[in-house]
Amino acid sequence: MAEFILNECKNSKSDMVAESQEILGMKPKEIYSDPKKIAELAVIIKKQRGQQFCMLPFCHTLEAEMLGGNINLGDETAGARAGAPVCESIKDVLGLELNSENLARYNNMLEATRILKDSGENVMFCITGPIGLLTCLVDSRIVFKECRKNPDVFNEVLDYLAKILIDIAVEAAKAGSVAIEYADPPAAVSIVGPKFANDMCERFTMRFINNLSSNLGKIPVYLCPLSATKEMKNLEEINVVTKCPKAIKTLAN
Protein backbone atom coordinates (compact mmCIF):
# COMPACT_ATOMS: atom_id res chain seq x y z
CA MET A 1 0.00 0.00 0.00
CA ALA A 2 1.29 3.44 -0.90
CA GLU A 3 2.64 5.67 1.86
CA PHE A 4 1.35 9.20 2.39
CA ILE A 5 3.63 12.23 2.46
CA LEU A 6 2.83 13.18 6.03
CA ASN A 7 6.30 14.53 6.81
CA GLU A 8 5.74 17.36 4.32
CA CYS A 9 2.72 18.73 6.17
CA LYS A 10 4.10 21.22 8.69
CA ASN A 11 1.34 23.76 9.10
CA SER A 12 1.65 24.65 12.77
CA LYS A 13 0.31 28.16 12.06
CA SER A 14 -2.26 27.13 9.49
CA ASP A 15 -5.31 28.83 11.02
CA MET A 16 -4.76 32.50 11.73
CA VAL A 17 -8.22 33.52 10.54
CA ALA A 18 -9.97 34.11 13.88
CA GLU A 19 -6.99 36.05 15.24
CA SER A 20 -6.74 38.15 12.09
CA GLN A 21 -10.47 38.95 12.09
CA GLU A 22 -10.01 40.56 15.50
CA ILE A 23 -7.58 43.05 13.96
CA LEU A 24 -10.27 44.18 11.53
CA GLY A 25 -12.82 44.38 14.34
CA MET A 26 -15.56 43.05 12.09
CA LYS A 27 -17.86 40.04 12.11
CA PRO A 28 -17.38 37.39 9.38
CA LYS A 29 -20.65 38.31 7.65
CA GLU A 30 -19.48 41.90 7.36
CA ILE A 31 -16.10 40.84 5.97
CA TYR A 32 -17.43 38.28 3.51
CA SER A 33 -19.97 40.71 2.07
CA ASP A 34 -17.24 43.18 1.08
CA PRO A 35 -14.48 42.15 -1.38
CA LYS A 36 -12.26 44.99 -0.12
CA LYS A 37 -12.49 43.65 3.44
CA ILE A 38 -11.81 40.11 2.21
CA ALA A 39 -8.67 41.38 0.51
CA GLU A 40 -7.67 43.29 3.64
CA LEU A 41 -8.13 40.18 5.79
CA ALA A 42 -6.08 38.11 3.34
CA VAL A 43 -3.17 40.56 3.67
CA ILE A 44 -3.42 40.51 7.48
CA ILE A 45 -3.36 36.69 7.53
CA LYS A 46 -0.41 36.70 5.14
CA LYS A 47 1.53 38.94 7.54
CA GLN A 48 0.48 36.87 10.56
CA ARG A 49 1.85 33.73 8.87
CA GLY A 50 4.98 35.50 7.66
CA GLN A 51 4.27 34.65 4.03
CA GLN A 52 4.85 36.51 0.79
CA PHE A 53 1.53 35.53 -0.79
CA CYS A 54 -2.16 35.64 0.11
CA MET A 55 -4.53 32.67 0.33
CA LEU A 56 -8.25 32.67 -0.47
CA PRO A 57 -10.76 31.59 0.71
CA PHE A 58 -10.22 31.22 4.45
CA CYS A 59 -12.07 27.92 4.97
CA HIS A 60 -13.16 24.64 3.34
CA THR A 61 -16.87 25.45 3.15
CA LEU A 62 -17.15 27.74 0.12
CA GLU A 63 -17.91 25.06 -2.48
CA ALA A 64 -20.63 23.50 -0.33
CA GLU A 65 -22.21 26.92 0.18
CA MET A 66 -22.20 27.40 -3.61
CA LEU A 67 -24.28 24.23 -3.89
CA GLY A 68 -26.78 25.36 -1.27
CA GLY A 69 -25.17 24.02 1.91
CA ASN A 70 -25.97 25.49 5.32
CA ILE A 71 -22.81 27.32 6.36
CA ASN A 72 -22.09 29.17 9.59
CA LEU A 73 -19.55 31.84 8.63
CA GLY A 74 -17.90 31.76 12.06
CA ASP A 75 -17.14 34.17 14.85
CA GLU A 76 -14.21 35.55 16.84
CA THR A 77 -13.20 32.08 18.08
CA ALA A 78 -13.73 29.77 15.08
CA GLY A 79 -13.94 30.00 11.33
CA ALA A 80 -16.67 29.00 8.89
CA ARG A 81 -18.20 25.56 9.40
CA ALA A 82 -21.05 23.42 8.13
CA GLY A 83 -24.51 23.53 9.68
CA ALA A 84 -27.35 21.03 9.27
CA PRO A 85 -27.07 18.72 6.21
CA VAL A 86 -29.17 19.65 3.18
CA CYS A 87 -29.03 16.18 1.58
CA GLU A 88 -30.09 12.80 2.94
CA SER A 89 -27.74 10.82 0.69
CA ILE A 90 -24.76 11.45 -1.56
CA LYS A 91 -27.00 10.78 -4.57
CA ASP A 92 -29.05 13.85 -3.63
CA VAL A 93 -25.96 15.96 -4.32
CA LEU A 94 -26.41 15.25 -8.03
CA GLY A 95 -29.59 17.33 -7.86
CA LEU A 96 -27.80 20.39 -6.49
CA GLU A 97 -26.82 23.15 -8.88
CA LEU A 98 -24.87 26.37 -8.67
CA ASN A 99 -27.19 29.37 -8.65
CA SER A 100 -26.82 33.10 -8.15
CA GLU A 101 -28.38 33.03 -4.68
CA ASN A 102 -25.55 30.87 -3.34
CA LEU A 103 -22.63 32.45 -5.22
CA ALA A 104 -22.32 35.78 -3.41
CA ARG A 105 -19.34 34.84 -1.22
CA TYR A 106 -17.58 33.08 -4.12
CA ASN A 107 -18.05 36.10 -6.39
CA ASN A 108 -16.71 38.32 -3.62
CA MET A 109 -13.66 36.05 -3.34
CA LEU A 110 -13.04 36.43 -7.07
CA GLU A 111 -13.36 40.22 -6.79
CA ALA A 112 -11.01 40.19 -3.78
CA THR A 113 -8.54 38.23 -5.91
CA ARG A 114 -8.68 40.96 -8.56
CA ILE A 115 -8.19 43.65 -5.92
CA LEU A 116 -5.18 41.86 -4.46
CA LYS A 117 -3.68 41.29 -7.90
CA ASP A 118 -4.10 44.95 -8.84
CA SER A 119 -2.35 45.97 -5.60
CA GLY A 120 0.65 43.77 -6.43
CA GLU A 121 -0.16 40.74 -4.25
CA ASN A 122 0.23 37.13 -5.32
CA VAL A 123 -2.88 35.06 -4.61
CA MET A 124 -3.26 31.33 -4.12
CA PHE A 125 -6.87 30.15 -4.43
CA CYS A 126 -7.73 27.03 -2.45
CA ILE A 127 -10.27 24.39 -3.48
CA THR A 128 -11.64 21.61 -1.28
CA GLY A 129 -11.84 17.98 -2.36
CA PRO A 130 -15.02 15.89 -2.60
CA ILE A 131 -15.04 14.34 0.88
CA GLY A 132 -14.74 17.73 2.55
CA LEU A 133 -17.42 19.07 0.23
CA LEU A 134 -19.77 16.13 0.78
CA THR A 135 -19.49 16.21 4.56
CA CYS A 136 -20.72 19.82 4.45
CA LEU A 137 -23.81 18.70 2.53
CA VAL A 138 -24.54 15.20 3.91
CA ASP A 139 -24.12 13.68 7.36
CA SER A 140 -20.53 12.41 7.47
CA ARG A 141 -21.58 8.95 8.68
CA ILE A 142 -23.82 8.58 5.64
CA VAL A 143 -21.05 9.81 3.32
CA PHE A 144 -18.55 7.17 4.40
CA LYS A 145 -21.19 4.44 4.55
CA GLU A 146 -22.42 5.13 1.01
CA CYS A 147 -18.88 5.47 -0.34
CA ARG A 148 -18.42 1.81 0.55
CA LYS A 149 -21.89 0.44 -0.22
CA ASN A 150 -22.72 2.40 -3.39
CA PRO A 151 -19.45 2.75 -5.31
CA ASP A 152 -21.14 3.43 -8.65
CA VAL A 153 -23.14 6.33 -7.23
CA PHE A 154 -20.06 7.55 -5.39
CA ASN A 155 -18.06 7.60 -8.63
CA GLU A 156 -20.85 9.52 -10.37
CA VAL A 157 -20.86 12.09 -7.57
CA LEU A 158 -17.06 12.38 -7.74
CA ASP A 159 -17.21 13.11 -11.47
CA TYR A 160 -19.95 15.69 -10.93
CA LEU A 161 -18.01 17.50 -8.21
CA ALA A 162 -14.72 17.30 -10.13
CA LYS A 163 -16.14 19.38 -12.97
CA ILE A 164 -17.44 22.01 -10.54
CA LEU A 165 -14.11 22.20 -8.71
CA ILE A 166 -12.13 22.59 -11.92
CA ASP A 167 -14.46 25.35 -13.09
CA ILE A 168 -14.00 27.14 -9.75
CA ALA A 169 -10.21 26.92 -10.04
CA VAL A 170 -10.20 28.12 -13.66
CA GLU A 171 -12.33 31.16 -12.77
CA ALA A 172 -9.99 31.93 -9.88
CA ALA A 173 -7.06 31.81 -12.29
CA LYS A 174 -8.86 34.17 -14.67
CA ALA A 175 -9.39 36.55 -11.75
CA GLY A 176 -5.64 36.66 -11.15
CA SER A 177 -4.69 33.76 -8.88
CA VAL A 178 -1.14 32.64 -9.55
CA ALA A 179 -1.46 29.26 -7.80
CA ILE A 180 -4.17 26.80 -6.77
CA GLU A 181 -4.21 24.60 -3.66
CA TYR A 182 -6.09 21.31 -3.48
CA ALA A 183 -6.85 19.87 -0.04
CA ASP A 184 -9.42 17.44 1.33
CA PRO A 185 -8.98 17.47 5.14
CA PRO A 186 -11.69 14.91 6.08
CA ALA A 187 -10.06 12.39 3.71
CA ALA A 188 -6.67 12.59 5.42
CA VAL A 189 -5.12 9.21 6.19
CA SER A 190 -4.99 10.08 9.91
CA ILE A 191 -8.80 10.38 9.88
CA VAL A 192 -10.05 7.76 7.42
CA GLY A 193 -7.16 5.28 7.58
CA PRO A 194 -4.74 4.20 4.84
CA LYS A 195 -7.15 1.89 3.01
CA PHE A 196 -9.81 4.53 2.31
CA ALA A 197 -7.26 7.30 1.75
CA ASN A 198 -5.30 5.22 -0.73
CA ASP A 199 -8.52 4.26 -2.52
CA MET A 200 -9.39 7.96 -2.89
CA CYS A 201 -5.96 8.67 -4.37
CA GLU A 202 -6.31 5.88 -6.92
CA ARG A 203 -10.00 6.44 -7.66
CA PHE A 204 -10.07 10.25 -7.75
CA THR A 205 -7.15 12.41 -6.66
CA MET A 206 -4.50 11.38 -9.19
CA ARG A 207 -6.86 11.72 -12.15
CA PHE A 208 -8.37 14.94 -10.82
CA ILE A 209 -5.02 16.64 -10.25
CA ASN A 210 -3.89 15.71 -13.76
CA ASN A 211 -7.09 17.19 -15.23
CA LEU A 212 -6.88 20.27 -13.02
CA SER A 213 -3.28 20.94 -14.00
CA SER A 214 -4.14 20.48 -17.67
CA ASN A 215 -6.93 23.06 -17.40
CA LEU A 216 -4.73 25.55 -15.54
CA GLY A 217 -1.77 25.39 -17.91
CA LYS A 218 1.27 27.11 -16.38
CA ILE A 219 -0.40 27.87 -13.04
CA PRO A 220 1.00 25.50 -10.38
CA VAL A 221 -1.17 23.26 -8.21
CA TYR A 222 -0.19 22.82 -4.56
CA LEU A 223 -1.36 19.39 -3.46
CA CYS A 224 -1.86 19.01 0.29
CA PRO A 225 0.49 16.26 1.51
CA LEU A 226 -2.35 14.76 3.56
CA SER A 227 -4.12 14.06 0.26
CA ALA A 228 -1.07 12.68 -1.55
CA THR A 229 0.90 9.44 -1.62
CA LYS A 230 4.61 9.14 -2.27
CA GLU A 231 3.68 7.60 -5.61
CA MET A 232 2.31 11.02 -6.59
CA LYS A 233 5.74 12.66 -6.43
CA ASN A 234 5.99 12.37 -10.20
CA LEU A 235 3.07 14.80 -10.46
CA GLU A 236 5.66 17.55 -10.04
CA GLU A 237 6.53 16.92 -13.66
CA ILE A 238 3.19 18.53 -14.56
CA ASN A 239 3.59 21.63 -12.37
CA VAL A 240 2.25 20.13 -9.13
CA VAL A 241 3.94 20.85 -5.80
CA THR A 242 3.37 18.45 -2.91
CA LYS A 243 3.88 20.84 -0.02
CA CYS A 244 1.56 22.45 2.49
CA PRO A 245 1.20 26.06 1.30
CA LYS A 246 0.35 27.27 4.81
CA ALA A 247 3.78 26.17 5.97
CA ILE A 248 5.89 27.85 3.29
CA LYS A 249 6.98 31.47 2.94
CA THR A 250 7.16 31.87 -0.83
CA LEU A 251 5.65 30.23 -3.91
CA ALA A 252 7.69 27.97 -6.14
CA ASN A 253 9.26 29.61 -9.18
Side-chain angles (χ1 to χ4, degrees):
M1 185 172 291
E3 294 181 62
F4 285 77
I5 314 177
L6 302 182
N7 64 326
E8 295 196 25
C9 186
K10 302 173 182 176
N11 54 346
S12 59
K13 291 186 176 181
S14 65
D15 188 8
M16 306 297 294
V17 179
E19 295 92 328
S20 300
Q21 283 175 178
E22 282 190 54
I23 296 174
L24 279 180
M26 297 178 69
K27 295 180 180 180
K29 278 191 176 181
E30 296 172 314
I31 295 171
Y32 287 131
S33 63
D34 186 342
K36 291 181 180 178
K37 290 299 179 183
I38 293 172
E40 191 176 343
L41 178 57
V43 172
I44 292 172
I45 294 172
K46 163 195 154 182
K47 292 177 179 177
Q48 293 282 83
R49 290 176 178 160
Q51 295 180 309
Q52 295 181 19
F53 61 95
C54 298
M55 297 180 70
L56 293 175
F58 311 118
C59 65
H60 292 284
T61 65
L62 183 63
E63 297 88 350
E65 181 180 78
M66 293 169 67
L67 285 167
N70 290 319
I71 303 300
N72 179 335
L73 293 178
D75 49 35
E76 67 277 2
T77 60
R81 51 201 180 271
V86 295
C87 296
E88 294 183 359
S89 71
I90 60 172
K91 188 173 182 178
D92 292 342
V93 174
L94 297 172
L96 301 179
E97 296 180 355
L98 304 178
N99 63 66
S100 57
E101 292 181 7
N102 301 323
L103 297 181
R105 184 159 62 115
Y106 170 62
N107 289 331
N108 286 342
M109 289 292 167
L110 293 182
E111 182 59 26
T113 300
R114 297 184 189 100
I115 292 170
L116 289 165
K117 177 192 174 186
D118 290 345
S119 66
E121 298 285 354
N122 288 322
V123 179
M124 173 186 289
F125 204 92
C126 309
I127 60 173
T128 300
I131 302 302
L133 207 169
L134 286 171
T135 55
C136 286
L137 298 170
V138 187
D139 185 286
S140 59
R141 293 167 296 182
I142 293 174
V143 170
F144 290 108
K145 178 181 178 181
E146 293 193 355
C147 287
R148 295 189 304 270
K149 293 198 170 185
N150 301 309
D152 291 341
V153 173
F154 182 46
N155 287 338
E156 186 179 0
V157 172
L158 290 179
D159 289 342
Y160 177 65
L161 296 180
K163 184 180 184 307
I164 291 173
L165 293 173
I166 288 175
D167 287 345
I168 289 171
V170 169
E171 289 304 312
K174 289 179 181 177
S177 297
V178 298
I180 299 293
E181 183 203 20
Y182 172 84
D184 200 1
V189 64
S190 59
I191 297 174
V192 299
K195 186 177 185 301
F196 184 91
N198 193 63
D199 181 58
M200 275 299 296
C201 282
E202 293 179 356
R203 180 187 298 201
F204 177 81
T205 312
M206 180 74 82
R207 175 168 49 89
F208 175 79
I209 294 298
N210 271 291
N211 290 338
L212 176 62
S213 181
S214 176
N215 277 272
L216 291 172
K218 295 181 180 180
I219 293 178
V221 176
Y222 279 73
L223 174 60
C224 173
L226 296 179
S227 302
T229 68
K230 289 185 177 179
E231 292 177 345
M232 299 168 96
K233 281 280 194 176
N234 61 358
L235 282 172
E236 295 189 4
E237 297 174 6
I238 60 165
N239 213 14
V240 174
V241 182
T242 312
K243 288 182 179 177
C244 176
K246 294 173 184 174
I248 61 175
K249 301 301 182 184
T250 60
L251 296 174
N253 295 323

